Amino acid sequence: MNKKIGFLAFAVVFVFLFLSAMYMHPFGEPNEKDMDNHFIEKGQNDTGANNIVTSVVFDYRGYDTLGEATVLFTAVTGVAVAFSMAYGKKKEMKEMSKIVRTVTNILYSFIIIFGFYIIMHGHLTPGGGFQGGAVVASAFALLVISYSALKIKGILKKENFSVSECSGLFAFIALAFLGISTAFFYNFLAGGTVFGNIPAGINPGDLNTGGVIPLMNIAVGVEVLSGIGLIILYMFTYGKEAKE
Amino acid sequence: MIQHFPFIAVVILIGLGIYACMFKRNLIKIVIGVSLIESGVNLFLITLGYVKGGVAPIYTNAPGTNMVLPTPQALTLTSIVIGLATTALMLSFAVLIYKHYSSIDAKTRRLKG
Amino acid sequence: MIEDFAQIMVLLIIISTAYLAIKLKDLLGAVISLSIMSLLLSLEFYILQAPDVAIAEAGIGAGLTTAIYVLAIRGTKRMEEG
């Protein structure tokens, strides 16, 4: 009886979604474009960044990015609390074969450098703090998986990651508060001397532009890489004793 | 009908996700269902902002100035990171439930304490 | 013309891998199918002229989410019963 009511409710919701998909605007011709036309025409002059999406994320709608950084921080705290209850003795874990360890030795420094390149050039090419932080966290996951977690305990410590995550979030909030004389999240470095040039039109991209956006990219990148590194370390060292 | 096809693909993805959330009993299958709903919503946001014949909204060596809308891309970036955060938290709860109750079924036991 | 054909093919494979992800009883196979869906979704984002979102989805969805799922399956059972 309950299953029949469940199927009926699911069918009603699915038909409603399908009918509303047929009544959407034709694919490729959106209706209201006034706000986005303003961002495309005046974004380069106001903020000084070539990448309009990064300027929308960090300058025009920076308050949403503050909420996103807070949600990531809260999730890392929740995982740490869930796995910190006493779990008993740890079992011995095996490490991977010699081919995997050799390839890891060569590759992991290049992945970390590539991740920092993506973080640093966020205002010129596609990229930014979140994407680069995810790439560097993948390098940490590669290290933890190919050597057993007991050997990595001396190199990647949980306390170092915790300190760098808190300092990254604190630097992001401090940069948002520094322009408070005009507005919260005001870009007070555009037009100045440090990261201050303002480009015009289609140009090859100069690193000295963007105002306060490259500094915010670095702060968010440090926070994301240490937060996701912490999640992977906690789940790797504590997940195995659940089986007897 | 062909010109609405991305929107129909979004509806099918969200429908599969809701089916997995409602009618599956394993906890990890339920988390896979939530992840499918989030992927469907991200695809819908990017499809809303597409302009036919437009290029990516970046001025560095751009091939033209008829650009797609940048605001839905910013919202989708936030949504992807929040999806990762909620998936990590839900999976850590699933591991904790298995440790305490030795069963990963969603219907056999009422959680105590 | 060729972009329309590529877009329809990628969307069809996304739908079929999503269906496989909820039908397989081996949980490790379901998670690998979810990872393939995430990679093809990143390709679809690139076809729709959104390179920022494509990098984020490839790095976070196809890499880190799959790693966290496999670590969670390691702490619980592998096969779904019933």
Side-chain angles (χ1 to χ4, degrees):
Chain A
M1 179 62 190
N2 277 337
K3 252 186 144 36
K4 287 195 185 1
I5 298 182
F7 272 121
L8 193 62
F10 174 67
V12 165
V13 168
F14 188 73
V15 165
F16 168 70
L17 283 177
F18 193 78
L19 282 181
S20 60
M22 300 302 276
Y23 278 108
M24 290 288 299
H25 62 79
F27 174 60
E29 296 148 24
N31 288 331
E32 297 99 12
K33 292 196 260 185
D34 310 332
M35 180 174 78
D36 292 287
N37 280 340
H38 175 89
F39 285 160
I40 291 177
E41 285 160 16
K42 304 204 174 47
Q44 217 180 13
N45 206 14
D46 284 344
T47 65
N50 268 347
N51 190 351
I52 307 291
V53 177
T54 303
S55 80
V56 170
V57 164
F58 282 108
D59 191 352
Y60 284 112
R61 294 187 82 107
Y63 202 53
D64 301 340
T65 310
L66 182 64
E68 170 184 7
T70 307
V71 166
L72 192 59
F73 187 74
T74 309
V76 171
T77 309
V79 171
V81 164
F83 280 119
S84 75
M85 308 184 199
Y87 256 82
K89 292 197 309 206
K90 300 190 189 356
K91 291 198 216 170
E92 179 64 37
M93 285 174 244
K94 295 191 305 229
E95 56 183 16
M96 289 260 194
S97 66
K98 199 159 178 65
I99 299 179
V100 178
R101 273 184 283 146
T102 312
V103 171
T104 304
N105 284 342
I106 299 176
L107 267 187
Y108 83 97
S109 52
F110 287 114
I111 299 180
I112 294 182
I113 292 181
F114 182 60
F116 276 114
Y117 162 79
I118 292 184
I119 293 178
M120 198 56 219
H121 283 73
H123 56 291
L124 297 173
T125 59
F130 296 102
Q131 290 94 329
V135 171
V136 179
S138 309
F140 291 146
L142 179 66
L143 264 183
V144 167
I145 286 173
S146 45
Y147 293 90
S148 68
L150 300 176
K151 286 193 184 162
I152 293 293
K153 257 180 177 318
I155 304 177
L156 300 175
K157 297 194 182 63
K158 293 196 176 84
E159 293 85 17
N160 295 346
F161 275 149
S162 182
V163 164
S164 63
E165 178 187 23
C166 297
S167 60
L169 188 59
F170 183 68
F172 181 62
I173 297 181
L175 277 173
F177 266 113
L178 275 181
I180 196 73
S181 56
T182 312
F184 192 46
F185 271 102
Y186 180 64
N187 195 350
F188 62 96
L189 280 180
T193 55
V194 185
F195 284 119
N197 285 350
I198 298 196
I202 299 178
N203 58 339
D206 184 17
L207 199 59
N208 193 14
T209 59
V212 81
I213 291 179
L215 303 172
M216 279 186 180
N217 265 332
I218 296 177
V220 166
V222 165
E223 190 223 343
V224 169
L225 74 91
S226 3
I228 302 185
L230 262 183
I231 289 181
I232 298 218
L233 271 181
Y234 269 113
M235 291 191 83
F236 201 86
T237 53
Y238 284 125
K240 184 73 172 174
E241 291 93 327
K243 291 204 215 313
E244 300 311 306
Chain B
M1 174 102 161
I2 287 295
Q3 69 208 28
H4 284 120
F5 189 62
F7 296 118
I8 295 181
V10 165
V11 165
I12 293 180
L13 269 178
I14 296 183
L16 279 174
I18 295 182
Y19 177 79
C21 270
M22 285 173 72
F23 295 110
K24 294 282 179 180
R25 294 177 64 173
N26 196 351
L27 278 182
I28 299 198
K29 275 281 159 79
I30 297 178
V31 176
I32 288 182
V34 175
S35 192
L36 279 179
I37 298 180
E38 276 167 7
S39 294
V41 169
N42 292 338
L43 182 61
F44 177 63
L45 277 176
I46 298 284
T47 320
L48 270 183
Y50 181 65
V51 173
K52 245 189 179 42
V55 294
I58 298 175
Y59 273 105
T60 306
N61 300 325
T65 49
N66 180 22
M67 297 184 168
V68 300
L69 312 184
T71 309
Q73 298 185 13
L75 303 175
T76 307
L77 203 52
T78 303
S79 167
I80 289 177
V81 175
I82 291 182
L84 168 75
T86 54
T87 302
L89 204 55
M90 282 195 279
L91 283 176
S92 72
F93 282 154
V95 171
L96 212 59
I97 286 180
Y98 182 73
K99 154 101 175 128
H100 275 274
Y101 293 100
S102 300
S103 149
I104 206 168
D105 205 313
K107 282 193 181 152
T108 57
R109 182 179 291 268
R110 300 188 67 96
L111 300 176
K112 300 202 230 300
Chain C
M1 177 62 195
I2 197 72
E3 293 99 24
D4 290 343
F5 180 66
Q7 209 170 7
I8 293 182
M9 281 304 297
V10 168
L11 282 173
L12 281 176
I13 303 183
I14 286 177
I15 294 175
S16 45
T17 46
Y19 173 68
L20 269 183
I22 69 172
K23 180 172 159 46
L24 287 175
K25 287 215 180 300
D26 186 2
L27 285 180
L28 206 54
V31 161
I32 299 282
S33 180
L34 193 70
S35 156
I36 296 179
M37 188 206 85
S38 198
L39 189 64
L40 286 171
L41 194 64
S42 163
L43 179 64
E44 171 72 17
F45 285 156
Y46 176 71
I47 294 180
L48 286 175
Q49 310 287 338
D52 266 313
V53 184
I55 295 181
E57 175 71 31
I60 294 181
L64 290 168
T65 300
T66 306
I68 292 181
Y69 267 109
V70 171
L71 287 174
I73 290 182
R74 183 174 171 258
T76 62
K77 291 193 193 151
R78 180 176 165 173
M79 303 293 291
E80 177 189 10
E81 65 225 11

